[in-house]
Amino acid sequence: MSTLSNEQQNTKKPFFYGWIIVAACMLIQAIPFGVAMNVQPQFINFVTNGEGFTLTQFSLVFTIGTVVSAIASPSIGSILSKPKTNIKLAFLIGAILSGGGYALNSLADDNLWAYYGIAAIVQVGTAIISAIGVPLLVNSWFKNNKGIAMGIAFSGGGIGNIFLQQIAARLLTNPAIGYSKAYFIFGMISMAVGIPVALFLVKLPKSESDLAGNIINKKDETQIKHTATWGYTFKEVTTIKLFWIFCIGFIFVGFYVSGLSVQYISYLYSIGLNASFVANVGSIFAFFSIFGNLCGGILFDKLGIKKSLILAGLMVITCALLLIFLPSINALGYLFAALLGISMFAYIIGPSYLTGALFGDKEFGTILGIVQVFFALGYAIGTVIFGLSVENLGYTTSWIIILLYSVIAYSCLLISCIGIEKHNRDINVIDTKRIS
């Protein structure tokens, strides 16, 4: 009996902390990220009407915050990737900057420059804990089932957004609260979640033994050792022409995201739809983004990069078409929200998953930071262009332009990913063979 018990203990799979990391990342995406990124569009109409800003002026909040975050991202990625970095302290600082900064919006009043400065602080903090931090944590812990783990982690954004959209709509339309107090409330909520997660849940694996629980069989064990050491350096990546086409693709992804995912709320208000309808559309978007991220991770793992990107591209193009006809058929707003939510995996999971799959782990944080710069650049420039386009050409023409951005974006991504996959197969990279 004793011998049997010892054998059972020897064959028992060790506890894998990676799934705790996934849960921590879900919380980060649900609240701190959700507050910083998903709630802010709800404030646009209320702040512009209350303070007398134009749409273009206030849209620079997104632009400036994104540009500062983009500039900081490579450095953030490099710092977080260093073995000596105190990851808990880094995430603590990020949580305070993201949530505390958001609360400072309550003091901005009619000072447009204050909103700009605060946006920069918030986005740097959010980059630390989310845009760079979450992919780095998942990529560090998962060498198998990386897409599924990343999908679950990023699905937290959709889960949190279901409730955040409803809360935001009610706070903003409550005369006793208004947008200033709403900013403060959301900032406190962000820190109430982000700080404990940083202090008690976040950590990196210290050795291969920490990853043992993620090994399914001997074959996977070999793959883990291989994937842990394989990867391009950033210097090597810069010599690959297809890498730059890949980055350009994400510029155009940023262009369409700045219109579809951020400005659709203002569009719905502009055509006379009430706050309840807008909140419902926002919640549907949030609900389906959960499935988008979960299914997106599975799609990348099971169907491969090419088919997943084609599917996402078709959904995004359909979303732009639906917005064009939405004033005549308001119910199309619900279909738009569902498709946009599902397609969200392409720009939430896509940069980190594709970077890891195509370029490896050696300098993952630094390379991802550069990719995020291009996405952020597209997002920042796209926000300004979209605001000017709406003011001068109207929403219908602006949605047609967004449609063209989508076609260019997914054409670049498909061309570059297919080419890089082929190159990696030619040099016998196991990871790319598995995911192509």
Side-chain angles (χ1 to χ4, degrees):
M1 183 70 69
S2 173
T3 303
L4 180 61
S5 177
N6 288 336
E7 289 178 355
Q8 288 175 339
Q9 288 179 355
N10 290 334
T11 58
K12 185 178 179 181
K13 198 174 184 179
F15 170 72
F16 181 51
Y17 192 81
W19 293 113
I20 302 296
I21 291 296
V22 169
C25 291
M26 285 184 70
L27 288 172
I28 289 171
Q29 291 301 113
I31 306 302
F33 170 83
V35 167
M37 299 299 294
N38 296 333
V39 172
Q40 182 74 323
Q42 285 270 20
F43 283 81
I44 294 175
N45 269 37
F46 294 92
V47 176
T48 53
N49 292 333
E51 304 297 346
F53 305 141
T54 66
L55 176 62
T56 301
Q57 286 176 323
F58 194 70
S59 291
L60 281 174
V61 167
F62 300 97
T63 304
I64 293 172
T66 304
V67 168
V68 172
S69 173
I71 293 171
S73 286
S75 297
I76 292 170
S78 179
I79 292 169
L80 293 183
S81 297
K82 291 180 179 178
K84 294 183 179 180
T85 297
N86 185 328
I87 200 71
K88 288 184 181 291
L89 178 60
F91 269 70
L92 177 62
I93 292 171
I96 293 172
L97 291 176
S98 181
Y102 202 85
L104 288 177
N105 281 305
S106 63
L107 304 176
D109 295 326
D110 62 348
N111 189 335
L112 191 58
W113 288 100
Y115 286 105
Y116 294 161
I118 291 167
I121 294 171
V122 171
Q123 292 308 315
V124 168
T126 307
I128 294 172
I129 61 175
S130 177
I132 303 296
V134 166
L136 185 137
L137 286 174
V138 174
N139 198 67
S140 297
W141 282 94
F142 285 86
K143 306 306 174 183
N144 293 292
N145 303 316
K146 188 179 295 184
I148 294 172
M150 204 166 283
I152 295 172
F154 280 114
S155 70
I159 295 171
N161 203 23
I162 292 174
F163 305 101
L164 292 176
Q165 292 295 325
Q166 297 293 336
I167 294 170
R170 283 157 179 75
L171 290 178
L172 290 169
T173 54
N174 186 336
I177 297 176
Y179 53 85
S180 290
K181 290 181 180 177
Y183 270 129
F184 181 79
I185 292 170
F186 277 118
M188 292 299 104
I189 292 173
S190 176
M191 287 195 292
V193 173
I195 291 174
V197 168
L199 291 175
F200 303 114
L201 297 179
V202 168
K203 70 176 184 178
L204 292 171
K206 295 181 179 179
S207 65
E208 288 292 329
S209 62
D210 288 339
L211 306 178
N214 193 222
I215 298 174
I216 301 172
N217 51 47
K218 290 294 182 182
K219 180 181 178 182
D220 290 322
E221 184 175 5
T222 301
Q223 289 177 345
I224 283 176
K225 290 179 179 178
H226 181 86
T227 57
T229 56
W230 177 82
Y232 293 94
T233 64
F234 175 65
K235 184 178 180 180
E236 290 170 339
V237 161
T238 59
T239 64
I240 302 173
K241 292 180 181 179
L242 287 170
F243 170 72
W244 298 111
I245 296 176
F246 178 76
C247 291
I248 290 169
F250 275 108
I251 287 181
F252 282 92
V253 170
F255 281 171
Y256 85 69
V257 170
S258 68
L260 288 182
S261 297
V262 176
Q263 304 288 358
Y264 79 88
I265 290 177
S266 295
Y267 174 58
L268 296 180
Y269 280 123
S270 75
I271 60 176
L273 299 173
N274 58 43
S276 177
F277 182 90
V278 174
N280 289 336
V281 170
S283 291
I284 290 172
F285 167 62
F287 179 77
F288 278 93
S289 69
I290 299 172
F291 294 99
N293 285 316
L294 286 172
C295 295
I298 295 171
L299 285 172
F300 276 132
D301 277 346
K302 303 300 180 182
L303 294 183
I305 291 173
K306 183 172 71 173
K307 292 179 182 178
S308 300
L309 289 176
I310 290 173
L311 181 61
L314 290 174
M315 286 191 287
V316 171
I317 290 168
T318 302
C319 284
L321 290 171
L322 290 173
L323 288 177
I324 293 171
F325 296 102
L326 193 146
S328 302
I329 309 173
N330 293 165
L332 291 178
Y334 299 128
L335 180 58
F336 158 81
L339 290 177
L340 185 64
I342 296 171
S343 69
M344 193 174 173
F345 76 88
Y347 66 89
I348 295 296
I349 299 176
S352 51
Y353 185 94
L354 296 176
T355 298
L358 298 173
F359 307 114
D361 297 337
K362 187 176 290 184
E363 293 190 9
F364 172 80
T366 304
I367 297 171
L368 176 60
I370 297 299
V371 174
Q372 294 283 21
V373 166
F374 279 84
F375 172 74
L377 183 64
Y379 181 88
I381 296 172
T383 301
V384 176
I385 292 175
F386 189 84
L388 292 171
S389 175
V390 169
E391 291 175 2
N392 293 283
L393 304 173
Y395 273 108
T396 299
T397 301
S398 299
W399 297 133
I400 293 172
I401 294 171
I402 291 292
L403 189 152
L404 295 176
Y405 290 157
S406 305
V407 172
I408 296 171
Y410 285 95
S411 296
C412 289
L413 291 179
L414 282 166
I415 290 169
S416 59
C417 288
I418 291 171
I420 295 167
E421 283 181 337
K422 182 179 183 302
H423 173 71
N424 287 350
R425 282 196 300 271
D426 291 342
I427 62 174
N428 199 33
V429 174
I430 293 174
D431 299 73
T432 302
K433 286 184 176 180
R434 273 198 302 156
I435 52 85
S436 61

